[in-house]
């Protein structure tokens, strides 16, 4: 089959795609100065054997009906027809809704799915459950910024304004003298942005800044977190200890009388309490550079010197998402802001605080004047929610109390979970525990493109199309280009669009009109486009009609250059432009948080010792960060991702000092383990990682060798087998996936082959007997 070039877009870039004799060719968007190699993950993906070809039902569920079942994750599947699948799924949803109400259905369905705005799977699930059964148990916040998204509104009033709409790269390249990055500014991360990213500009801006003389300092366990283009300095820090380092820096600033007292008095509240804490007025413990050095592993002299370098310069402080994906992750986010304030920088051109700058391609960009509307999700009649990373707690402890943002709430009792566009066996921690949690459900329904571990734990698996097999519109509020995502290939097997699946289900449930509003997918695209067109017309922005847009394949939208406005306006006139915080100022002390009375997140930022500490059995930190070779677990079977593996296994990095005593050499297969399980990986020995730390990126598909074991060995290298499933604190309950503790050893003998990309066993079709609770026989 040959298909001429069509425009398309992914979270990692826009491109045109064509088929030449069934071979997929990808050409990056011509306007992209630095296209991402992740585009190569598409080339072998469309017809990969790990795609799901037909609807499937798990044998145990079919035989025994809904109910808790430990066979999830090791059972075989039976192929069924679409009408059967629709009947089973709609029937089960009706049963649960009728018996227990929508509050027994979990529809949080966390996950990035794909770039198109209409087929955004999570929005489709939400809309479907709202319009058919009146709602679902939702999840709040994200795995990305669980802690930051709760703490930042308290202390600066708005997360978006200090992250996505924060100080722009353009401004940094022009004005910043020193960029101090906690967690670095790795270009591997800014390759992606949800919704799409047509211009990868970070490398260029970093280069431009460095040439002008901006000094970059990256505080991180990994040297590679700072691009070479920055020509900067690497300060190796013990993982999870940045809060202590920043307190040490603040102590130096205070004792040298370098803190900007005028700024702190005019625009902040609570600096006196911070100073009292630094000086040990509360408890006799002085948080000076020597104290910090003991905790973070950077020597006291270097900490003092760093404070000297910061003083009197135009300084930009950044804190990566990674730092808050850890125990007490709220603290470094808070302290980054306090440090910027103590230096008097917020609101100055190229100065202040940029939360998560560089973590994604959205940050530091300008915003479109008008953005493409989202699919309306309808009204959710269920009040119950969980902080997103508390999914296993919810399923294992229904009815139990938990703290969240000053409230005591209770976990709902969930019987059915519906997932589309996410991979909890990628994103969640402590996977052996997650399996137990999913096994408690009556039913798990999953829409997937391919046989991920999540699909392999589902009771009903509904095959979804990839974006190249359907039409959509690709765009993000921070991308000035909007793309027609044109269909290139026919759906794989019997795969259907999530929208088509939900439309059929809604019809079965007698709610078709409510879900579809009578529109086909193409009509929805036209409808959403028209809404954008109307907004544009109101602002005198010329845009073509839909057909012209579709034919051209792309559209350029005007942008606003208002990054950093929140703090700039505050600085201009704090009475006229107060921050949306209780005091109208930056809250170095928050009375609101203090009144919550949670010891693990008091009223000002502190250093709290994490429960995870190295010991004789688990002496090494493991950094489980974002993968360079793919987005999360997406297209892990794609060419680029597979090419970065060795013997089909994910590669972990360790320092020669840690490798030598263990007899480990480069290229060995290693076993990384702790109390929660073990994974295999291939090892690369590198001096670009701090001694005492190993790194294994996320995203290798969970591949249990012995699924019946309580803690199966993952042959492939999924670090979430090892991570700890606890909340960051009572305040935010964010995930703690970034850091854990492990031991590592050379694997003895012949390592088992990776089987992650082989589909599960597909059993014979069968006629169901009378023991099935649901009743009806299946042909
Ligand atoms: N240990 C540790 N864990 C982490 C992190 C970490 O740093 N350390 N990072 C966390 C972060 S920041 C995040 S955001 C999460 C990411 O976690 P997820 O967003 O869950 O990860 P993805 O791999 O993007 O999952 C998306 C899934 O949707 C499927 N999909 C794509 N398009 C479609 C579609 O159109 N329809 C349907 N039905 N499915 C589709 C893909 O095949 C894929 O399986 O992981 C988190 N987990
Ligand atoms: N290629 C690619 N890019 C991505 C993603 C992807 O899957 N693939 N995912 C995207 C998503 S959803 C998100 S939310 C962002 C996440 O953005 P981040 O969370 O910032 O990304 P990570 O790579 O997990 O972490 C960045 C770096 O922080 C460092 N680090 C870890 N712990 C510590 C610590 O305690 N202190 C200090 N100082 N540094 C530490 C690690 O060395 C790590 O490389 O990335 C986005 N970008
Ligand atoms: Mo994320």
């Amino acid at each position: 089959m040959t298909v001429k070039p069509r425009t398309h877009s992914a979270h990692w870039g826009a491109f045109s795609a064509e088929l030449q004799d069934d071979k997929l060719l990808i050409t990056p968007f011509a306007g992209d100065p630095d296209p991402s190699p992740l585009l190569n993950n598409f080339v072998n993906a469309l017809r990969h054997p790990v795609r799901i070809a037909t609807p499937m039902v798990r044998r145990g569920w079919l035989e025994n009906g809904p109910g808790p079942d430990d066979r999830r994750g090791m059972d075989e599947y039976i192929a069924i027809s679409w009408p059967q699948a629709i009947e089973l799924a709609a029937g089960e949803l009706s049963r649960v809704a009728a018996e227990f109400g929508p509050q027994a259905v979990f529809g949080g369905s966390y996950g990035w799915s794909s770039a198109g705005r209409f087929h955004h799977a999570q929005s489709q699930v939400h809309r479907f459950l709202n319009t058919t059964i009146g709602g679902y148990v939702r999840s709040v916040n994200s795995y990305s910024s669980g802690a930051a998204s709760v703490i930042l509104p308290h202390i600066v009033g708005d997360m978006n304004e200090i992250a996505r709409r924060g100080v722009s790269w353009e401004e940094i390249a022009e004005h910043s003298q020193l960029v101090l990055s906690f967690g670095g500014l790795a270009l591997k991360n800014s390759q992606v942005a949800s919704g799409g990213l047509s211009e990868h500009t970070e490398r260029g801006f970093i280069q431009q800044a460095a040439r002008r003389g901006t000094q970059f300092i990256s505080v991180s366990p990994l040297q590679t977190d700072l691009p070479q283009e920055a020509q900067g300095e690497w300060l190796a820090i013990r993982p999870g200890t940045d809060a202590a380092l920043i307190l040490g820096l603040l102590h130096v600033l205070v004792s040298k009388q370098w803190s900007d007292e005028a700024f702190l008095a005019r625009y902040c509240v609570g600096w006196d309490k911070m100073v009292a804490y630094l000086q040990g007025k509360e408890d006799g413990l002085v948080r000076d550079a020597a104290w910090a050095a003991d905790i973070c592993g950077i020597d006291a002299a270097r900490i003092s010197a760093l404070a000297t370098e910061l003083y009197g310069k135009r300084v930009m402080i950044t804190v990566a998402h990674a730092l808050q994906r850890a125990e007490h992750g709220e603290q470094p986010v808070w302290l980054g802001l306090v440090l910027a304030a103590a230096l008097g920088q917020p609101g100055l051109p190229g100065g202040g605080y940029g939360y998560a700058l560089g973590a994604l391609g959205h940050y530091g960009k300008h915003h479109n004047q008008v953005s493409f509307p989202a699919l309306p999700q309808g009204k959710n009649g269920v009040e119950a929610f969980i902080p997103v990373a508390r999914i296993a707690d919810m399923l294992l402890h229904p009815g139990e109390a938990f703290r969240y943002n000053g409230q005591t709430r209770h976990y709902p009792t969930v019987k059915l979970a519906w997932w589309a566009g996410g991979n909890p066996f990628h994103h969640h921690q402590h996977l052996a525990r997650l399996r137990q949690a999913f096994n408690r459900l009556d039913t798990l329904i999953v829409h997937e493109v391919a046989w991920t571990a999540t699909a392999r734990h589902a009771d009903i698996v509904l095959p979804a199309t990839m974006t190249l097999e359907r039409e959509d519109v690709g765009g993000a509020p921070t991308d000035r280009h909007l793309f027609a995502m044109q269909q290139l290939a026919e759906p794989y097997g019997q795969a259907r669009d999530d929208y088509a699946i939900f439309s059929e289900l809604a019809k079965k449930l007698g709610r078709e009109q409510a879900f579809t509003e009578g529109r086909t997918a193409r009509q929805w695209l036209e409808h959403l486009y028209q809404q954008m067109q109307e907004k544009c017309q109101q602002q005198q922005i010329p845009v073509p009609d839909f057909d012209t847009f579709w034919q051209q394949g792309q559209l350029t939208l005007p942008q606003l250059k208002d990054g950093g406005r929140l703090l700039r306006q505050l600085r201009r006139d704090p009475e006229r432009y107060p921050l949306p915080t209780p005091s109208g100022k930056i809250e170095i002390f928050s009375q609101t948080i203090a009144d919550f009375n949670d010891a693990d997140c008091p009223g000002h930022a502190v250093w709290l010792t994490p429960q995870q500490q190295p010991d004789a059995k688990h002496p090494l930190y493991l950094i489980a960060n974002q993968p360079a070779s793919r987005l999360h677990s997406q297209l892990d079977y794609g060419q680029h991702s597979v090419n970065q593996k060795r013997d089909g296994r994910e590669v972990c990095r360790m320092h020669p000092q840690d490798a030598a005593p263990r007899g480990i050499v480069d290229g060995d297969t290693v076993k990384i383990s702790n109390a929660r399980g073990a994974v295999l990986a291939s090892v690369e020995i590198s001096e670009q990682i701090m001694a005492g730390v190993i790194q294994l990126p996320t995203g290798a598909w969970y591949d249990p060798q012995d699924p019946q074991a309580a803690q199966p060995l993952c042959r492939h290298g999924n670090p979430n087998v090892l991570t700890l499933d606890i909340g960051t604190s009572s305040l935010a309950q964010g995930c703690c996936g970034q850091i854990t503790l492990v031991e590592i050893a050379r694997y003895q003998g012949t390592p088992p082959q990776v089987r992650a990309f082989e589909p599960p066993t597909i059993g014979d079709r069968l006629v169901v007997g009378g023991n099935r609770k649901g009743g009806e026989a299946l042909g």
Side-chain angles (χ1 to χ4, degrees):
M1 176 109 151
T2 295
V3 179
K4 291 223 177 87
R6 309 259 164 103
T7 56
H8 215 75
S9 180
H11 294 306
W12 45 93
F15 56 98
S16 87
E18 63 192 288
L19 284 177
Q20 278 184 14
D21 302 326
D22 282 335
K23 202 169 168 305
L24 180 65
L25 300 180
I26 302 271
T27 311
F29 173 57
D32 191 340
D34 188 19
S36 163
L38 300 197
L39 288 173
N40 289 329
N41 279 333
F42 279 119
V43 300
N44 64 330
L46 274 172
R47 299 292 177 259
H48 195 286
V50 78
R51 293 279 317 263
I52 306 169
T54 67
M56 298 275 176
V57 59
R58 189 173 64 77
R59 179 183 284 278
W61 191 88
L62 196 55
E63 288 176 353
N64 304 325
D69 189 349
D70 288 340
R71 274 187 291 173
R72 289 193 181 103
M74 56 182 128
D75 212 348
E76 58 179 35
Y77 284 86
I78 313 289
I80 54 173
S81 69
W82 270 113
Q84 289 168 335
I86 297 295
E87 190 163 328
L88 286 179
E92 176 59 358
L93 182 63
S94 302
R95 177 190 75 88
V96 172
E99 262 180 61
F100 309 100
Q103 59 274 16
V105 176
F106 183 71
S109 188
Y110 183 79
W112 265 57
S113 69
S114 289
R117 293 300 77 195
F118 170 69
H119 289 287
H120 182 243
Q122 203 184 125
S123 312
Q124 295 279 351
V125 182
H126 297 167
R127 182 177 170 85
F128 167 70
L129 293 172
N130 285 338
T131 52
T132 53
I133 61 166
Y136 58 89
V137 174
R138 71 201 150 94
S139 58
V140 297
N141 310 327
S142 63
Y143 279 78
S144 315
S145 60
S149 54
V150 179
I151 188 97
L152 284 171
H154 287 296
I155 61 177
V156 71
D158 188 303
M159 156 135 169
N160 204 30
E161 292 287 340
I162 199 148
R164 287 199 193 187
R165 217 183 263 278
V167 176
S168 70
W169 276 113
E170 210 167 282
E171 213 181 299
I172 291 169
E174 213 173 308
H175 298 284
S176 309
Q177 287 177 291
L178 197 158
V179 176
L180 174 61
S181 286
F182 295 92
L185 298 163
L187 291 174
K188 74 170 171 72
N189 285 354
S190 44
Q191 279 179 94
V192 309
S194 55
L197 178 62
S198 62
E199 295 164 299
H200 293 83
T201 51
E202 285 74 7
R203 191 191 305 274
F205 280 126
I206 289 175
Q207 238 158 10
Q208 201 181 317
R211 283 203 197 114
R212 190 184 45 77
T214 306
Q215 184 189 351
F216 285 90
I217 301 176
S218 168
V219 179
S220 170
L222 298 188
Q223 185 170 19
T224 48
D225 284 333
L226 190 66
Q228 295 233 312
E229 285 79 357
Q231 297 169 31
E233 184 191 352
W234 173 36
L235 273 184
I237 189 169
R238 195 170 289 146
T241 64
D242 301 77
L245 170 61
I246 300 177
L247 288 167
L249 287 169
L250 289 169
H251 190 275
V252 179
L253 294 178
V254 171
S255 43
K256 302 215 165 172
Q257 298 188 326
W258 285 344
S259 49
D260 188 335
E261 295 296 324
F263 182 93
L264 290 160
R266 183 137 199 243
Y267 305 108
C268 307
V269 289
W271 175 241
D272 54 328
K273 294 203 171 61
M274 191 81 238
V275 173
Y277 175 72
L278 293 169
Q279 295 176 337
K281 298 265 160 68
E282 291 173 8
D283 55 6
L285 181 63
V286 179
R287 279 89 184 174
D288 58 10
W291 167 85
D294 268 352
I295 296 170
C296 74
I298 299 174
D299 68 51
R302 184 68 194 96
I303 297 175
S304 291
L306 180 57
T308 313
E309 288 172 66
L310 293 169
Y311 177 62
K313 291 212 183 82
R314 182 62 49 83
V315 177
M316 181 72 193
I317 309 280
T318 75
V319 169
H321 279 319
L323 275 70
Q324 50 89 67
R325 225 177 281 115
E327 286 178 66
H328 313 304
E330 296 82 3
Q331 304 307 321
V333 176
W334 200 343
L335 282 164
L337 178 64
V338 176
L339 179 60
L343 293 165
Q345 296 297 301
L348 293 174
Y353 185 47
Y355 173 70
L357 183 78
L360 288 145
H362 301 291
Y363 299 82
K365 294 272 165 68
H366 303 306
H367 272 64
N368 294 337
Q369 224 167 304
V370 170
S371 47
F372 195 79
L375 175 71
Q377 303 191 357
K379 206 174 145 7
N380 185 348
V382 174
E383 201 252 338
F385 69 82
I386 55 163
V388 67
R390 302 277 50 85
I391 172 86
D393 286 357
M394 171 187 79
L395 295 173
L396 292 168
H397 303 287
E400 272 186 27
F402 67 95
R403 293 283 295 160
Y404 172 72
N405 207 8
Q407 299 176 313
T408 299
R409 307 186 62 92
H410 293 86
Y411 290 119
T413 304
V414 163
K415 302 281 180 188
L416 183 156
W418 204 304
W419 228 289
N423 185 3
F425 279 87
H426 161 73
H427 65 236
H428 198 63
Q429 287 58 62
H430 194 173
L431 294 181
R433 182 170 188 261
L434 182 69
R435 285 185 68 186
Q436 285 175 8
F438 275 136
N439 287 346
R440 299 280 180 98
L441 283 165
D442 277 6
T443 300
L444 174 61
I445 300 178
V446 170
H447 299 202
E448 248 302 345
V449 167
W451 281 109
T452 60
T454 303
R456 288 165 206 255
H457 284 77
D459 301 308
I460 301 175
V461 183
L462 303 174
T465 50
M466 288 180 59
T467 64
L468 287 163
E469 299 163 342
R470 63 187 185 228
E471 295 182 342
D472 213 328
V473 172
T478 46
D479 192 330
R480 64 196 174 117
H481 298 111
L482 193 71
F483 290 91
M485 295 169 64
Q486 296 163 348
Q487 184 182 349
L488 185 84
E490 288 304 311
Y492 179 75
Q494 295 181 38
R496 289 190 185 176
D497 301 349
D498 295 297
Y499 179 67
I501 299 171
F502 285 129
S503 301
E504 277 294 312
L505 286 160
K507 188 169 164 190
K508 190 87 194 169
L509 295 162
R511 301 289 298 156
E512 186 183 16
Q513 180 61 26
F515 177 71
T516 66
E517 295 179 24
R519 294 190 188 94
T520 62
R522 172 53 92 90
Q523 286 166 338
W524 269 107
L525 296 182
E526 289 172 0
H527 172 69
L528 295 171
Y529 185 89
Q530 262 160 26
Q531 290 184 338
M532 184 195 75
Q533 212 178 358
E534 279 161 28
K535 274 191 279 172
C536 285
Q537 272 156 5
Q538 283 161 15
Q539 300 189 35
Q540 268 91 48
I541 301 166
V543 285
D545 62 17
F546 181 83
D547 290 337
T548 314
F549 160 65
W550 199 259
Q551 230 179 348
Q552 290 172 348
Q554 81 189 61
L555 175 68
T556 308
L557 293 164
Q559 295 198 305
L560 297 167
K561 294 198 172 185
D562 62 351
R565 68 178 172 191
L566 192 73
L567 292 166
R568 204 161 21 243
Q569 287 177 341
L570 174 77
R571 189 165 193 129
R572 195 179 313 143
D573 187 344
E575 273 71 50
R576 184 149 170 231
Y577 302 109
L579 293 181
T581 56
S583 61
K585 298 181 176 184
I586 294 172
E587 303 225 338
I588 293 174
F589 176 84
S590 161
Q591 191 62 53
T592 309
I593 295 179
D595 290 345
F596 292 165
N597 255 318
D598 289 312
D600 55 359
C601 191
H604 61 75
V606 292
W607 163 254
L608 293 167
T609 307
Q611 70 174 70
Q612 295 192 86
Q613 290 295 328
D615 59 24
K617 273 175 94 178
H618 308 111
L620 299 170
Y621 285 95
L622 174 73
I623 295 286
N625 60 348
Q626 312 306 308
S629 60
R630 60 191 166 255
L631 171 67
H632 311 139
S633 68
Q634 295 198 27
L635 306 178
D636 188 28
Y637 50 94
Q639 192 183 77
H640 182 63
S641 178
V642 168
N643 283 347
Q644 315 302 311
K645 299 180 196 258
R646 286 187 189 163
D647 309 322
R649 253 175 277 278
E650 202 59 30
V651 178
C652 78
R653 281 160 203 86
M654 73 187 298
H655 193 275
Q657 268 176 36
D658 297 321
R662 292 172 174 84
I664 295 172
V665 297
D666 197 279
D668 274 350
T669 299
V670 288
K671 184 169 166 180
I672 310 171
S673 56
N674 64 17
R676 291 171 288 284
V679 308
L680 300 186
S682 177
V683 72
E684 180 189 314
I685 310 298
S686 167
E687 297 205 343
Q688 293 186 314
I689 187 166
M690 174 178 185
V693 180
I694 66 172
Q695 178 246 346
L696 178 66
T698 55
W701 284 16
Y702 181 55
D703 185 29
Q705 181 179 31
D706 42 355
Q708 63 294 338
Q711 294 188 348
L713 173 75
C714 173
R715 293 173 287 214
H716 194 188
N718 182 330
N720 272 325
V721 167
L722 304 162
T723 52
L724 186 62
D725 183 11
I726 54 168
T728 51
S729 79
S730 310
L731 183 84
Q733 299 285 6
C735 90
C736 290
Q738 182 80 194
I739 308 171
T740 193
L741 288 152
V742 294
E743 180 52 291
I744 182 167
R746 197 163 166 265
Y747 187 83
Q748 309 291 344
T750 314
Q753 227 187 318
V754 175
R755 302 212 178 276
F757 305 140
E758 294 171 16
T761 311
I762 311 297
D764 289 334
R765 242 173 145 64
L766 79 174
V767 178
V768 185
N771 62 342
R772 197 176 163 266
K773 276 187 242 153
E776 73 278 42
L778 266 183

